[in-house]
Amino acid sequence: MSPFSEVTRLTEVEEGTLVRCLQRLDERLRQLRGAARILGDPALAAKLETATAQTRRDVVVTASLYTQ
């Protein structure tokens, strides 16, 4: 896992676009985790929970980039 600042140095994409994409990814992972639970696959749900935890860190989950 790389820090957000390192990821931004590796690409020319604007920070806001990266944050938006990571937020959408997090949303999809949560939806998939819910589906896995409904389908009765606890192993898949656990893997998706881990993936969600790994995406919900650093600046991506900050309420506003301007409040800090």
Side-chain angles (χ1 to χ4, degrees), residues 38-63:
I38 290 170
L39 294 173
D41 192 341
L44 179 58
K47 289 178 184 179
L48 291 165
E49 177 66 35
T50 300
T52 299
Q54 290 175 346
T55 59
R56 294 187 56 81
R57 61 182 181 89
D58 207 19
V59 72
V60 176
V61 293
T62 301

Side-chain angles (χ1 to χ4, degrees), residues 4 15-16 19 58-68:
F4 186 76
E15 293 174 359
V19 169
D58 207 19
V59 72
V60 176
V61 293
T62 301
S64 172
L65 297 176
Y66 302 104
T67 60
Q68 294 185 354

Side-chain angles (χ1 to χ4, degrees), residues 1-58:
M1 292 190 299
S2 300
F4 186 76
S5 59
E6 185 178 322
V7 173
T8 57
R9 283 192 297 265
L10 296 173
T11 183
E12 294 180 8
V13 176
E14 294 182 17
E15 293 174 359
T17 302
L18 287 174
V19 169
R20 193 169 36 252
C21 288
L22 287 169
Q23 289 173 333
R24 287 180 181 170
L25 173 63
D26 178 60
E27 182 180 337
R28 296 302 177 260
L29 289 170
R30 285 186 282 123
Q31 290 172 347
L32 288 169
R33 185 183 69 218
R37 287 180 180 160
I38 290 170
L39 294 173
D41 192 341
L44 179 58
K47 289 178 184 179
L48 291 165
E49 177 66 35
T50 300
T52 299
Q54 290 175 346
T55 59
R56 294 187 56 81
R57 61 182 181 89
D58 207 19

